[in-house]
Amino acid sequence: MTDRYAVVGNPVAHSRSPAIHAAFARQTGEDILYSRLLAPLDNFARTVAGFFDAGGKGVNVTLPFKGEAARLATKLSERARRAEAANTLRFDVDGIYGDNTDGPGLVRDLTVNLGAALAGRRVLLIGAGGAASGVVGALLGTGVARLVIANRTRERAEALARRHGAPVAACGLEDLGGEPFDVLINATSAGLAGAALPLPAGAVAPGAFAYDMAYGPLAEPFLAAAGLAGAARLADGLGMLVEQAAESFLVWRGIRPDSAPVLAELRAAR
Ligand code: ATR
């Protein structure tokens, strides 16, 4: 029997996850069906429970439910526990297993697909919400020389940094400019509102790499600002989307698909 999976979010209509997982299923021969599931903002848990009761095997979770997903899980991976956010739920016989594949997805896209070194580099993560919290642990795991979290609301950046211990620093957006970074990652939702982030030239080291975790037009305001501030390489988060999906596929099916041809197909279809 075909195993069913879905991406749950609000909004979810534009999610590219169904196409990505369909490609993974074709490639690996796994018999799965993957759809979109719109959850009412106040009814995430019931939407997931309904899918589970109907025979669903697992879900990906996107905005704005990643925190709720972590709380819904009865067992969490270490990386999801630290992030206090889950983007992957697997329905096991003994409960709901929650994981977060955003961090490994981002790191793999940066280091493998884009060839951006992280070890020994000064890294700036902008944002302190669900998207940012999912990737701090994985960034630290690459051996960065320094990781600073900058957020509009400084207290949220400080709280996120505290959860990860001494190597992580925090500041407000208005504090940026005095210290240059080699890699700058936008994990805010400012692009959703078409808002540009203030990015002073002093924050961008010569030859810096700027990355936006969003993809397509949503990534453009930040990447344009980073380019103006002197970043030499710019990339949106389409590769991260494919890589986190490949990690989720592994959590569900025990097999990691080859992400490269799927990413190439998506880029070509743009
Ligand atoms: P997500 O799961 O996408 O991270 P979130 O938890 O609502 O969503 O967090 C949104 C992030 O984008 C936060 O870091 C937010 O800053 P605040 O903590 O100060 O709210 C940031 N953000 C959203 N709009 C922004 C804007 N116009 N300028 C700067 N930061 C913005």
Side-chain angles (χ1 to χ4, degrees):
M1 218 178 87
T2 304
D3 288 338
R4 291 176 55 217
Y5 298 86
V7 54
V8 188
N10 188 333
V12 77
H14 298 293
S15 170
R16 301 179 83 164
S17 292
I20 294 169
H21 282 281
F24 289 164
R26 277 196 302 278
Q27 185 196 92
T28 58
E30 292 286 301
D31 186 15
I32 73 158
L33 194 66
Y34 187 109
S35 55
R36 296 183 184 88
L37 203 54
L38 177 70
L41 288 175
D42 60 353
N43 232 335
F44 170 73
R46 197 178 305 166
T47 304
V48 170
F51 186 67
F52 185 27
D53 290 345
K57 297 284 187 199
V59 291
N60 276 138
V61 182
T62 186
L63 282 176
F65 300 122
K66 291 182 186 182
E68 249 184 281
R71 293 191 291 277
L72 190 67
T74 52
K75 201 173 134 197
L76 281 178
S77 68
E78 172 60 21
R79 58 196 182 190
R81 192 187 60 73
R82 275 201 175 220
E84 296 180 1
N87 75 334
T88 306
L89 297 178
R90 187 182 67 209
F91 306 144
D92 292 341
V93 280
D94 56 348
I96 300 177
Y97 174 69
D99 199 355
N100 196 319
T101 66
D102 283 337
L106 170 69
V107 166
R108 193 178 154 96
D109 191 37
L110 276 167
T111 58
V112 178
N113 299 338
L114 298 164
L118 289 170
R121 300 301 151 98
R122 299 160 295 182
V123 178
L124 175 68
L125 179 65
I126 308 173
S133 63
V135 302
V136 176
L139 286 173
L140 281 178
T142 64
V144 296
R146 178 162 161 79
L147 179 61
V148 176
I149 304 172
N151 194 46
R152 179 175 61 183
T153 311
R154 180 205 305 247
E155 295 71 32
R156 278 185 97 187
E158 287 168 347
L160 180 55
R162 255 196 314 275
R163 290 215 305 275
H164 289 85
V168 191
C171 67
L173 288 181
E174 68 282 358
D175 304 323
L176 291 177
E179 177 183 2
F181 293 93
D182 307 303
V183 180
L184 302 94
I185 301 166
N186 181 26
T188 75
S189 53
L192 263 178
L197 288 169
L199 197 58
V204 181
F209 199 117
Y211 188 94
D212 198 309
M213 284 168 54
Y215 56 89
L218 297 183
E220 280 165 15
F222 172 73
L223 295 180
L228 280 176
R233 292 190 65 193
L234 310 173
D236 77 356
L238 191 66
M240 175 181 172
L241 180 75
V242 175
E243 297 299 348
Q244 62 79 30
E247 282 288 319
S248 294
F249 198 91
L250 173 65
V251 169
W252 293 324
R253 310 302 296 183
I255 173 171
R256 195 182 200 288
D258 183 6
S259 46
V262 178
L263 177 55
E265 225 174 276
L266 278 184
R267 290 235 183 263
R270 278 185 160 186

